[in-house]
Amino acid sequence: RNGVADAREKCANWCNIRGAGVGLLPTTKTVDKDLIDAYFWLKTPGESDGCSQTLPDGSECPRYDADCGSQDSLGTRAGEPPAPEAGQWFDFQVKMLAKNAKMTGSALASVPMELSQMLKSSNPFEGPKFYVNPSYAEQAKVSIESAEGQVKTTLEQMIQVPSAYWLDTKSKIRGEGTKTMEGILKDAAAKSPPQL
């Protein structure tokens, strides 16, 4: 979600940031291969970071965090829908992330030479294919159906992009299917060859 620089009024604000966009596509082609192994999406685009004080259904959020009520958070201004609980699909947010996407190019500065030379090592991420969670694609398709123009095109590209799986509750650790960490690891290991 780093496709838009300086999207926040306060750097400490982190929850469902208004004006954010997805950043560079995951890759091992970095500005300094000796220091940076890969760029990767660490939070699944479209999953809420946390809920507004009032949920979309009008009830009070049981896991409300005051940081999700910051001046930078979606759902705190008139005309914005309230944010669902952490980890739940947030259609408004994923469309904003697609609208403001900067998935190619690089505005990153190069790393100081002396630091990069100290950290030379082989890259464990080069070679293996990164895992794309099919559950993410299923959720994104709901947003794609109601999107238009460039936002729709960007969302269609995003569903093929690997990202980390965010564990916001213990219930996401064990279980079958690709909505749990255990299920994701089984699915990724079953691929030929196994995927990261």
Side-chain angles (χ1 to χ4, degrees):
R1 301 180 187 176
N2 62 354
V4 178
D6 302 320
R8 300 173 284 186
E9 289 183 36
K10 290 188 178 178
C11 189
N13 293 340
W14 55 267
C15 187
N16 299 321
I17 298 302
R18 180 184 301 102
V22 293
L24 297 174
L25 292 171
T27 181
T28 56
K29 295 175 182 162
T30 66
V31 294
D32 188 328
K33 287 180 168 272
D34 294 328
L35 180 63
I36 304 167
D37 290 333
Y39 301 134
F40 196 72
W41 291 357
L42 294 180
K43 181 79 163 69
T44 304
E47 286 189 358
S48 179
D49 296 327
C51 50
S52 303
Q53 196 162 7
T54 302
L55 291 168
D57 68 3
S59 65
E60 189 172 317
C61 180
R63 297 192 311 159
Y64 176 68
D65 183 319
D67 286 337
C68 293
S70 78
Q71 73 266 30
D72 292 323
S73 298
L74 291 172
T76 59
R77 287 189 184 163
E80 293 177 343
E85 287 199 56
Q88 292 185 1
W89 193 251
F90 193 3
D91 181 73
F92 185 83
Q93 179 201 48
V94 77
K95 288 175 180 170
M96 176 201 63
L97 293 171
K99 178 183 177 189
N100 299 326
K102 305 274 188 299
M103 298 190 296
T104 59
S106 177
L108 300 173
S110 61
V111 178
M113 183 62 83
E114 61 276 3
L115 182 58
S116 67
Q117 289 176 347
M118 290 170 27
L119 299 170
K120 286 188 185 230
S121 66
S122 62
N123 187 342
F125 301 105
E126 283 185 345
K129 184 174 180 183
F130 289 112
Y131 178 78
V132 176
N133 189 341
S135 292
Y136 173 64
E138 289 171 24
Q139 290 176 309
K141 285 179 184 174
V142 173
S143 296
I144 290 169
E145 289 174 7
S146 61
E148 298 176 353
Q150 187 59 45
V151 169
K152 183 172 189 160
T153 301
T154 302
L155 286 169
E156 289 169 340
Q157 293 169 352
M158 288 168 56
I159 65 171
Q160 297 303 317
V161 177
S163 69
Y165 184 69
W166 198 258
L167 294 172
D168 56 300
T169 64
K170 289 180 184 178
S171 64
K172 287 185 166 183
I173 296 172
R174 295 201 176 275
E176 297 299 316
T178 56
K179 293 186 179 181
T180 68
M181 181 57 69
E182 185 176 24
I184 288 169
L185 292 172
K186 286 179 184 176
D187 190 44
K191 307 286 184 204
S192 184
Q195 297 175 355
L196 291 179

